[in-house]
Amino acid sequence: MHADPAECGDLALWLARLGIDLDRFLAFDRPDPMTRMSAWRDALDGPMPERGAGIATVMRELGEVVIPNGSQIPNPASCAFITTGATTVGALATLAGSVAAPQRVGLTAFHFLEALSLSWLSSLFELPAGMEGVYSSGGSVANLVALGGARQQAFERIGIDPARDGVCRRGRIYATAASHHTIRRAAAVLGLGREALVLVESDALGRMRPEALGRVLDADRHSDGLPVAVVANAGTTDAGAIDDLAAIGAIARRHGVWFHVDGAYGLPGILDPELRPLFDGLGFADSVVVDPHKWLGAPVGIGATFVRDRSLLARAFTQTAADYLEGACTDGEADHSMDALGVPYADFGVELSAPSRGAVVWALLREIGADGLRQRVRRHNAMARQVAARVRAHAELELLQPPTLSICCFRFRGDGRGDLNALNRRIHGALLRRGRAMPSTTVIHGQLAIRPCFVGARAEMRHADALVDEVVMVGRAMSRGQTDLAESGFLDHHVS
Ligand SMILES: Cc1ncc(COP(=O)(O)O)c(C=O)c1O
């Protein structure tokens, strides 16, 4: 019996129990949690306990009430978000880190894997030689960190340290309407202001028009705005389009402006040989972002930023000294894992305490290798193309944007009459309630699109086919005015 009321061991026992509950959850053979929401809320709601219930009770409630009412995101029928369900090794490595290395610091194997996995990602995705990385919680923070480096460089060039003194001049970040919406927030957090975002004209697929970027940069030479960064997309969130990285990168370089590539979702697309040429301009990048918690199948909470010059990040995110940390390290030879903090990742971003994410990425790549990830990316891209092919061949469906990566935007048009946006909104609602195919929606040129995005390791070609079948079936029924589509009698028809 140890002194603390919390159980701090017996992991084998409790993990075995948790494993059974999680495997059961992953079968996705129970109704959607929403249908039982009042039951699970009543079971969980209660006052802050004065006396603890003990681990056995917690584990029982986790297994019986919490886990079964979790998210549909890992369900292979779900193709809505770009984050996905963790693979088994990703979940296990996360747990291993949280138990054996609760911080990314110190001379530990976990810390070593932080650097090793970052260098693996860099070579896997053919990033410019010498780029160095840092993990953070996901794409939004990874972009913020990269743009922090860009801001540092731009202001230092005019003799100002923005991290020390703040920004005294209007900054400009050149992006497109298809750029992730959190880029605007990053501009705000960096003190540049949301209005620093200059939206450069894009083409019908949402790709930045390089000549428009050139024009805007030329015009800005005579304005008081300080160009901070050009943000290109290697895979837009809405439709998976890839900007012309070579042309945009060359223009950014010519104007001496930091070139940032947001590949949070799409960078792994470089592994698909058919798409490889689209990534040619990566060599121009000053910073690149990729999210292991998207296509790589890591548990949510892992993004990575790569930059050419990590010392810029150190200056951008400088922390003042902390005695409790300085005192923890010896100056001489380290002979204990806590004698030195190792690579100071905390100086390259916005987090001090952070989990050991490198071990997770290492585990994912070690398990399936480059070849395994290549297969996954190709399979998912082929699934989006399969959806597109079936949509093109079907008179009642309409392709709204041809896929580049693993997203395909289309809609049900039926006989083309009526408000198709409203119809597709209703179709989407029915799809979610039925649970056989759960895409998201987006808007393409004002038209509401059904938007499957295939990134989950569990998603296979049959899920792409099932999605098209579902949309046709539900769309036809909705067009006939049928509304009770969640009813089971409706489920057994087959439509091709
Ligand atoms: C292109 C792109 N950038 C950034 C993000 C933000 O990533 P996160 O949700 O991990 O913060 C996303 C999310 O989907 C994205 O698709």
Side-chain angles (χ1 to χ4, degrees):
M1 189 68 185
H2 69 119
D4 198 90
E7 172 61 68
C8 294
D10 256 350
L11 275 164
L13 174 78
W14 296 114
L15 278 177
R17 164 94 191 251
L18 183 69
I20 292 169
D21 293 331
L22 289 173
D23 277 344
R24 177 129 196 257
F25 170 73
L26 290 175
F28 291 105
D29 55 4
R30 302 188 199 187
D32 185 83
M34 283 298 284
T35 59
R36 298 178 295 176
M37 187 152 147
S38 60
W40 57 255
R41 274 176 59 165
D42 287 351
L44 295 171
D45 205 5
M48 167 66 209
E50 175 55 34
R51 294 179 66 84
I55 190 171
T57 301
V58 174
M59 293 305 289
R60 184 173 47 72
E61 290 176 359
L62 257 184
E64 290 177 5
V65 188
V66 181
I67 292 172
N69 295 304
S71 166
Q72 292 295 312
I73 289 174
N75 186 334
S78 169
C79 46
F81 297 113
I82 307 188
T83 44
T84 175
T87 64
T88 301
V89 91
L92 293 175
T94 302
L95 178 69
S98 69
V99 173
Q103 288 278 8
R104 61 183 157 176
V105 297
L107 301 178
T108 67
F110 286 86
H111 185 77
F112 177 74
L113 292 180
E114 204 89 351
L116 184 69
S117 62
L118 284 163
S119 79
W120 282 6
L121 289 177
S122 175
S123 72
L124 182 64
F125 299 139
E126 302 181 41
L127 300 188
M131 270 204 167
E132 290 181 302
V134 58
Y135 288 117
S136 58
S137 63
S140 343
V141 177
N143 279 325
L144 169 71
V145 168
L147 293 174
R151 182 192 69 165
Q152 195 67 23
Q153 175 173 283
F155 281 83
E156 280 182 1
R157 282 182 180 169
I158 57 166
I160 289 162
D161 178 351
R164 191 190 58 199
D165 300 325
V167 297
C168 56
R169 196 168 145 190
R170 213 171 171 75
R172 309 270 269 166
I173 294 178
Y174 306 87
T176 61
S179 296
H180 199 261
H181 60 125
T182 56
I183 297 282
R184 215 178 263 283
R185 180 174 60 194
V189 173
L190 290 167
L192 301 170
R194 287 193 294 275
E195 294 297 307
L197 223 70
V198 178
L199 290 190
V200 179
E201 201 184 309
S202 43
D203 66 12
L205 298 185
R207 296 172 304 192
M208 184 183 282
R209 286 190 191 281
E211 65 286 359
L213 174 68
R215 277 198 303 274
V216 177
L217 285 171
D218 281 338
D220 271 4
R221 283 199 175 139
H222 312 292
S223 84
D224 64 347
L226 179 68
V228 168
V230 172
V231 176
N233 289 302
T236 56
T237 313
D238 285 302
I242 300 176
D243 285 337
D244 185 341
L245 302 179
I248 296 169
I251 293 170
R253 168 112 14 129
R254 202 164 59 243
H255 284 80
V257 183
W258 181 285
F259 180 45
H260 174 63
V261 177
D262 182 354
Y265 152 53
L267 190 63
I270 197 171
L271 300 177
D272 185 336
E274 286 184 46
L275 302 182
R276 170 66 195 77
L278 296 181
F279 293 85
D280 271 352
L282 267 183
F284 286 111
D286 294 292
S287 56
V288 181
V289 154
V290 66
D291 269 4
H293 71 198
K294 294 189 164 66
W295 230 333
L296 270 74
V300 76
I302 311 188
T305 305
F306 292 87
V307 288
R308 279 183 193 277
D309 178 4
R310 216 165 41 180
S311 72
L312 268 169
L313 295 186
R315 295 201 293 285
F317 298 105
T318 299
Q319 315 168 65
T320 48
D323 288 342
Y324 77 99
L325 288 178
E326 312 308 320
C329 308
T330 59
D331 290 334
E333 193 78 347
D335 55 16
H336 185 280
S337 65
M338 286 166 72
D339 276 350
L341 300 178
V343 181
Y345 292 107
D347 291 336
F348 304 140
V350 291
E351 300 164 303
L352 178 55
S353 288
S356 289
R357 300 177 176 110
V360 181
V361 175
W362 164 82
L364 298 169
L365 296 175
R366 181 96 176 99
E367 183 197 14
I368 65 171
D371 189 51
L373 187 58
R374 196 173 295 120
Q375 277 179 36
R376 181 185 301 159
V377 167
R378 292 181 72 179
R379 177 174 87 247
H380 290 151
N381 289 345
M383 286 165 66
R385 287 196 290 271
Q386 163 81 351
V387 171
R390 288 195 55 193
V391 166
R392 282 194 185 97
H394 205 294
E396 291 159 283
L397 299 175
E398 181 182 358
L399 192 63
L400 295 181
Q401 180 153 330
T404 306
L405 293 161
S406 65
I407 297 175
C408 181
C409 295
F410 69 103
R411 66 177 175 175
F412 183 83
R413 64 184 307 282
D415 59 12
R417 284 183 301 190
D419 180 345
L420 294 183
N421 283 358
L423 174 62
N424 280 276
R425 173 75 63 206
R426 289 204 309 279
I427 292 172
H428 180 248
L431 293 178
L432 294 188
R433 284 192 299 280
R434 287 161 56 80
R436 296 190 161 184
M438 293 174 276
S440 75
T441 59
T442 192
V443 177
I444 303 284
H445 305 305
Q447 296 163 323
L448 192 88
I450 306 280
R451 171 193 168 279
C453 170
F454 304 109
V455 286
R458 297 174 179 86
E460 297 172 12
M461 190 55 93
R462 66 194 159 89
H463 299 110
D465 282 323
L467 168 82
V468 179
D469 292 345
E470 274 285 284
V471 172
V472 172
M473 185 191 289
V474 171
R476 283 179 179 168
M478 290 255 158
S479 302
R480 286 196 304 267
Q482 192 173 338
T483 51
D484 57 342
L485 302 185
E487 303 304 324
S488 57
F490 182 78
L491 300 179
D492 300 324
H493 307 277
H494 180 76
V495 177
S496 57

